[in-house]
Amino acid sequence: MQSQNGMRVARKLIALARALAIGANAVGTLTVLVLVIVMNIDVVARGVFHAPFLGVVEIVIFSMIFIVFLQLPDVVRVNRLTRSDGFLVLIRDSHPRVADAFYRVIDGISFVLMTLIAYATVPTLVEAFETCHYFTPPEFGPKPTGDFWTDFAAATGRCHYFGTLGVFTVPWWPANAVITGSACLCSVLFLLKVIFGHELRDPGEPPHTADEELRDSAGETS
């Protein structure tokens, strides 16, 4: 009975991690779409109206943070990080325990590194968020009026920002939140891989064969 409950919990954890990674990847893909639209608007504005769309450079730079870190967890999930594991793939069928041990060691090291990244980025996120004073009275400037949207806009204007003042600015904390959240999710995924296997399959699901791994690796992207 306890083993069955453990299997259910394990399946739920893996399913939740997969869903979060896939969802983050979808948001990252939508960010790419928005970025393409913005760049096309800039091209049309320059070519037809001779009036460039201000802030395109800043938007591209800021969007790259979202694209990379939102799609990173799903890259980890499907084992598409740049890697050199051809030897392990080849010996997986003949020496599965050896290959699995090496995979778990590598994933364990990756878990430690991602955890350190998440830990190191939390103070930056907290500092960037606290500069806005969303929930505390500001040190300078007008006091809260009691109107939610007015106070929210005023607080957002106080945030540490990225961009060029007078051209395009955006608060830094959403980017910090994406970086920290991505590192945390990647850390969880690597930990699950250490516990349940590199393929992050459901408990009881048969492992992939070497031929399947080689076919998957042929389409690998960084």
Side-chain angles (χ1 to χ4, degrees), residues 1-9:
M1 184 67 178
Q2 291 181 349
S3 62
Q4 291 180 350
N5 291 334
M7 294 279 280
R8 291 195 192 98
V9 172

Side-chain angles (χ1 to χ4, degrees), residues 18 77-80 83 88-89 91-93 96 103 198-202 205-216:
R18 284 174 171 174
R77 180 186 70 87
V78 297
N79 300 321
R80 287 295 180 269
R83 64 193 193 273
L88 295 179
V89 172
I91 70 170
R92 196 165 201 177
D93 288 343
Y103 275 126
H198 182 66
E199 298 171 12
L200 200 59
R201 60 185 183 275
D202 291 334
E205 181 182 340
H208 294 166
T209 64
D211 290 340
E212 291 172 335
E213 284 289 316
L214 288 173
R215 284 197 301 270
D216 290 342

Side-chain angles (χ1 to χ4, degrees), residues 181-203:
S182 174
C184 290
L185 183 53
C186 288
S187 178
V188 170
L189 287 167
F190 279 123
L191 180 60
L192 291 174
K193 287 174 179 287
V194 172
I195 298 173
F196 300 109
H198 182 66
E199 298 171 12
L200 200 59
R201 60 185 183 275
D202 291 334

